[in-house]
Amino acid sequence: MSEGSLADVICPVRWTTSAASAALPSDGQILLWYLEQSQIPLHAEWLAPDELARTVRMTPDRRDEFVSGRNALRLILGSFFSITPPEVVIRVSDKGKPHLENDAVEFSFSHCQRKLLMAFSGKPLGADLEALRSKPDLLRIARRLFDSRCCGQLEAAGDAQQRETLFYRFWSAHEAVQKLRGDGIFGERHLPPFVAGFELHGFRGAVASTIEAPEFLMHEELPLL
């Protein structure tokens, strides 16, 4: 992690679109999945007892989002290790970050308006997905979260639309960095070696990684059972 401004390090990313694969990410590689929630099975029986207990307190929409996210994780991770989805054991750290018990592969994911972005790598990473929508108090939010250079660029933006586009570029990248760190959106602002931002079907996405120049593969279908 290094000091600096998020505004100066976010880079564009290009990926190769690939058919769903059961291969683990190789060294220097990040595998992305971009999915509609409707593509993911809602099998509550795949969840662990502690996960099922969490769903009791959720609204129906939040429950479906949670179950679909865990099921997508289990389908992909199960394909990596040639095990069934219910056999995939997902732990949660003291800071609330899901992970595998042996950390055999790192992952991060983000839900947004029934869309799901998931990222897998052999090294720590964070991923975020945001919908571009009007946010009248974005400068106030930016001053609480972003460094002075990011805030200066937002204040200098030519109009409201440009300001919102720039805000979500910084916001998604900030979320991805903090997910990599695992210490929440108000955690320290040290930057990892790599931060990428991109547009994805009308959404703003970002990935932060400890890999300096990763190769990206994008998937839009889940592995078959």
Side-chain angles (χ1 to χ4, degrees), residues 2-18:
S2 65
E3 301 287 352
S5 172
L6 193 61
D8 296 329
V9 301
I10 303 171
C11 63
V13 62
R14 296 188 180 190
W15 53 70
T16 301
T17 302
S18 175

PDB file of all heavy atoms in Angstrom, residues 2-18:
ATOM      1  N   SER A   2       0.433   2.297  -0.687  1.00  0.00           N
ATOM      2  CA  SER A   2       1.228   3.507  -0.781  1.00  0.00           C
ATOM      3  C   SER A   2       0.355   4.732  -0.562  1.00  0.00           C
ATOM      4  O   SER A   2      -0.864   4.665  -0.615  1.00  0.00           O
ATOM      5  CB  SER A   2       1.906   3.594  -2.153  1.00  0.00           C
ATOM      6  OG  SER A   2       0.934   3.721  -3.170  1.00  0.00           O
ATOM      7  N   GLU A   3       0.999   5.865  -0.298  1.00  0.00           N
ATOM      8  CA  GLU A   3       0.295   7.127  -0.192  1.00  0.00           C
ATOM      9  C   GLU A   3      -0.005   7.645  -1.604  1.00  0.00           C
ATOM     10  O   GLU A   3       0.527   7.162  -2.589  1.00  0.00           O
ATOM     11  CB  GLU A   3       1.165   8.136   0.558  1.00  0.00           C
ATOM     12  CG  GLU A   3       1.552   7.689   1.969  1.00  0.00           C
ATOM     13  CD  GLU A   3       0.397   7.749   2.947  1.00  0.00           C
ATOM     14  OE1 GLU A   3      -0.665   8.288   2.574  1.00  0.00           O
ATOM     15  OE2 GLU A   3       0.555   7.257   4.079  1.00  0.00           O
ATOM     16  N   GLY A   4      -0.826   8.675  -1.697  1.00  0.00           N
ATOM     17  CA  GLY A   4      -1.131   9.256  -2.996  1.00  0.00           C
ATOM     18  C   GLY A   4      -2.603   9.523  -3.123  1.00  0.00           C
ATOM     19  O   GLY A   4      -3.387   9.284  -2.205  1.00  0.00           O
ATOM     20  N   SER A   5      -3.002  10.032  -4.284  1.00  0.00           N
ATOM     21  CA  SER A   5      -4.402  10.340  -4.535  1.00  0.00           C
ATOM     22  C   SER A   5      -5.038   9.275  -5.411  1.00  0.00           C
ATOM     23  O   SER A   5      -4.460   8.848  -6.419  1.00  0.00           O
ATOM     24  CB  SER A   5      -4.526  11.700  -5.226  1.00  0.00           C
ATOM     25  OG  SER A   5      -5.866  11.924  -5.644  1.00  0.00           O
ATOM     26  N   LEU A   6      -6.231   8.886  -5.036  1.00  0.00           N
ATOM     27  CA  LEU A   6      -6.991   7.947  -5.855  1.00  0.00           C
ATOM     28  C   LEU A   6      -7.188   8.493  -7.261  1.00  0.00           C
ATOM     29  O   LEU A   6      -7.196   7.738  -8.241  1.00  0.00           O
ATOM     30  CB  LEU A   6      -8.336   7.688  -5.181  1.00  0.00           C
ATOM     31  CG  LEU A   6      -9.182   6.517  -5.672  1.00  0.00           C
ATOM     32  CD1 LEU A   6      -8.451   5.197  -5.480  1.00  0.00           C
ATOM     33  CD2 LEU A   6     -10.513   6.494  -4.933  1.00  0.00           C
ATOM     34  N   ALA A   7      -7.319   9.804  -7.375  1.00  0.00           N
ATOM     35  CA  ALA A   7      -7.552  10.425  -8.679  1.00  0.00           C
ATOM     36  C   ALA A   7      -6.418  10.153  -9.660  1.00  0.00           C
ATOM     37  O   ALA A   7      -6.621  10.164 -10.873  1.00  0.00           O
ATOM     38  CB  ALA A   7      -7.730  11.933  -8.509  1.00  0.00           C
ATOM     39  N   ASP A   8      -5.219   9.907  -9.150  1.00  0.00           N
ATOM     40  CA  ASP A   8      -4.050   9.743 -10.013  1.00  0.00           C
ATOM     41  C   ASP A   8      -3.740   8.293 -10.373  1.00  0.00           C
ATOM     42  O   ASP A   8      -2.880   8.043 -11.219  1.00  0.00           O
ATOM     43  CB  ASP A   8      -2.810  10.351  -9.332  1.00  0.00           C
ATOM     44  CG  ASP A   8      -2.935  11.848  -9.130  1.00  0.00           C
ATOM     45  OD1 ASP A   8      -3.601  12.504  -9.956  1.00  0.00           O
ATOM     46  OD2 ASP A   8      -2.386  12.358  -8.128  1.00  0.00           O
ATOM     47  N   VAL A   9      -4.407   7.338  -9.742  1.00  0.00           N
ATOM     48  CA  VAL A   9      -4.007   5.934  -9.943  1.00  0.00           C
ATOM     49  C   VAL A   9      -5.050   5.084 -10.650  1.00  0.00           C
ATOM     50  O   VAL A   9      -4.736   3.974 -11.099  1.00  0.00           O
ATOM     51  CB  VAL A   9      -3.631   5.269  -8.595  1.00  0.00           C
ATOM     52  CG1 VAL A   9      -2.488   6.009  -7.924  1.00  0.00           C
ATOM     53  CG2 VAL A   9      -4.836   5.172  -7.664  1.00  0.00           C
ATOM     54  N   ILE A  10      -6.309   5.541 -10.739  1.00  0.00           N
ATOM     55  CA  ILE A  10      -7.339   4.720 -11.386  1.00  0.00           C
ATOM     56  C   ILE A  10      -7.019   4.608 -12.872  1.00  0.00           C
ATOM     57  O   ILE A  10      -6.892   5.603 -13.569  1.00  0.00           O
ATOM     58  CB  ILE A  10      -8.739   5.326 -11.211  1.00  0.00           C
ATOM     59  CG1 ILE A  10      -9.070   5.513  -9.743  1.00  0.00           C
ATOM     60  CG2 ILE A  10      -9.789   4.426 -11.874  1.00  0.00           C
ATOM     61  CD1 ILE A  10     -10.355   6.304  -9.510  1.00  0.00           C
ATOM     62  N   CYS A  11      -6.894   3.387 -13.360  1.00  0.00           N
ATOM     63  CA  CYS A  11      -6.563   3.181 -14.768  1.00  0.00           C
ATOM     64  C   CYS A  11      -7.682   2.401 -15.462  1.00  0.00           C
ATOM     65  O   CYS A  11      -8.440   1.675 -14.814  1.00  0.00           O
ATOM     66  CB  CYS A  11      -5.235   2.448 -14.907  1.00  0.00           C
ATOM     67  SG  CYS A  11      -5.217   0.790 -14.213  1.00  0.00           S
ATOM     68  N   PRO A  12      -7.815   2.550 -16.772  1.00  0.00           N
ATOM     69  CA  PRO A  12      -8.802   1.752 -17.503  1.00  0.00           C
ATOM     70  C   PRO A  12      -8.362   0.298 -17.552  1.00  0.00           C
ATOM     71  O   PRO A  12      -7.183  -0.011 -17.371  1.00  0.00           O
ATOM     72  CB  PRO A  12      -8.809   2.384 -18.889  1.00  0.00           C
ATOM     73  CG  PRO A  12      -7.450   2.975 -19.035  1.00  0.00           C
ATOM     74  CD  PRO A  12      -7.051   3.446 -17.665  1.00  0.00           C
ATOM     75  N   VAL A  13      -9.298  -0.588 -17.774  1.00  0.00           N
ATOM     76  CA  VAL A  13      -8.949  -2.006 -17.854  1.00  0.00           C
ATOM     77  C   VAL A  13      -9.642  -2.627 -19.054  1.00  0.00           C
ATOM     78  O   VAL A  13     -10.777  -2.282 -19.389  1.00  0.00           O
ATOM     79  CB  VAL A  13      -9.340  -2.749 -16.560  1.00  0.00           C
ATOM     80  CG1 VAL A  13     -10.839  -2.702 -16.324  1.00  0.00           C
ATOM     81  CG2 VAL A  13      -8.873  -4.189 -16.587  1.00  0.00           C
ATOM     82  N   ARG A  14      -8.942  -3.505 -19.714  1.00  0.00           N
ATOM     83  CA  ARG A  14      -9.516  -4.283 -20.799  1.00  0.00           C
ATOM     84  C   ARG A  14      -9.497  -5.745 -20.396  1.00  0.00           C
ATOM     85  O   ARG A  14      -8.572  -6.198 -19.726  1.00  0.00           O
ATOM     86  CB  ARG A  14      -8.726  -4.076 -22.090  1.00  0.00           C
ATOM     87  CG  ARG A  14      -8.770  -2.639 -22.607  1.00  0.00           C
ATOM     88  CD  ARG A  14      -8.141  -2.526 -23.971  1.00  0.00           C
ATOM     89  NE  ARG A  14      -8.178  -1.164 -24.477  1.00  0.00           N
ATOM     90  CZ  ARG A  14      -7.870  -0.831 -25.722  1.00  0.00           C
ATOM     91  NH1 ARG A  14      -7.497  -1.764 -26.591  1.00  0.00           N
ATOM     92  NH2 ARG A  14      -7.931   0.434 -26.099  1.00  0.00           N
ATOM     93  N   TRP A  15     -10.518  -6.454 -20.818  1.00  0.00           N
ATOM     94  CA  TRP A  15     -10.565  -7.870 -20.485  1.00  0.00           C
ATOM     95  C   TRP A  15     -10.876  -8.689 -21.724  1.00  0.00           C
ATOM     96  O   TRP A  15     -11.408  -8.200 -22.719  1.00  0.00           O
ATOM     97  CB  TRP A  15     -11.612  -8.138 -19.407  1.00  0.00           C
ATOM     98  CG  TRP A  15     -12.973  -7.614 -19.723  1.00  0.00           C
ATOM     99  CD1 TRP A  15     -13.860  -8.067 -20.666  1.00  0.00           C
ATOM    100  CD2 TRP A  15     -13.613  -6.498 -19.095  1.00  0.00           C
ATOM    101  NE1 TRP A  15     -15.001  -7.317 -20.656  1.00  0.00           N
ATOM    102  CE2 TRP A  15     -14.881  -6.346 -19.701  1.00  0.00           C
ATOM    103  CE3 TRP A  15     -13.234  -5.630 -18.071  1.00  0.00           C
ATOM    104  CZ2 TRP A  15     -15.767  -5.368 -19.318  1.00  0.00           C
ATOM    105  CZ3 TRP A  15     -14.120  -4.648 -17.693  1.00  0.00           C
ATOM    106  CH2 TRP A  15     -15.365  -4.517 -18.305  1.00  0.00           C
ATOM    107  N   THR A  16     -10.565  -9.947 -21.631  1.00  0.00           N
ATOM    108  CA  THR A  16     -10.936 -10.926 -22.643  1.00  0.00           C
ATOM    109  C   THR A  16     -12.185 -11.640 -22.163  1.00  0.00           C
ATOM    110  O   THR A  16     -12.235 -12.104 -21.018  1.00  0.00           O
ATOM    111  CB  THR A  16      -9.810 -11.951 -22.863  1.00  0.00           C
ATOM    112  OG1 THR A  16      -8.626 -11.254 -23.265  1.00  0.00           O
ATOM    113  CG2 THR A  16     -10.197 -12.966 -23.917  1.00  0.00           C
ATOM    114  N   THR A  17     -13.222 -11.683 -22.993  1.00  0.00           N
ATOM    115  CA  THR A  17     -14.436 -12.406 -22.628  1.00  0.00           C
ATOM    116  C   THR A  17     -14.211 -13.891 -22.834  1.00  0.00           C
ATOM    117  O   THR A  17     -13.684 -14.318 -23.864  1.00  0.00           O
ATOM    118  CB  THR A  17     -15.628 -11.932 -23.470  1.00  0.00           C
ATOM    119  OG1 THR A  17     -15.799 -10.519 -23.269  1.00  0.00           O
ATOM    120  CG2 THR A  17     -16.907 -12.645 -23.058  1.00  0.00           C
ATOM    121  N   SER A  18     -14.584 -14.678 -21.852  1.00  0.00           N
ATOM    122  CA  SER A  18     -14.289 -16.105 -21.881  1.00  0.00           C
ATOM    123  C   SER A  18     -15.535 -16.900 -21.519  1.00  0.00           C
ATOM    124  O   SER A  18     -16.386 -16.432 -20.762  1.00  0.00           O
ATOM    125  CB  SER A  18     -13.157 -16.423 -20.888  1.00  0.00           C
ATOM    126  OG  SER A  18     -12.916 -17.811 -20.810  1.00  0.00           O
TER     127      SER A  18
END
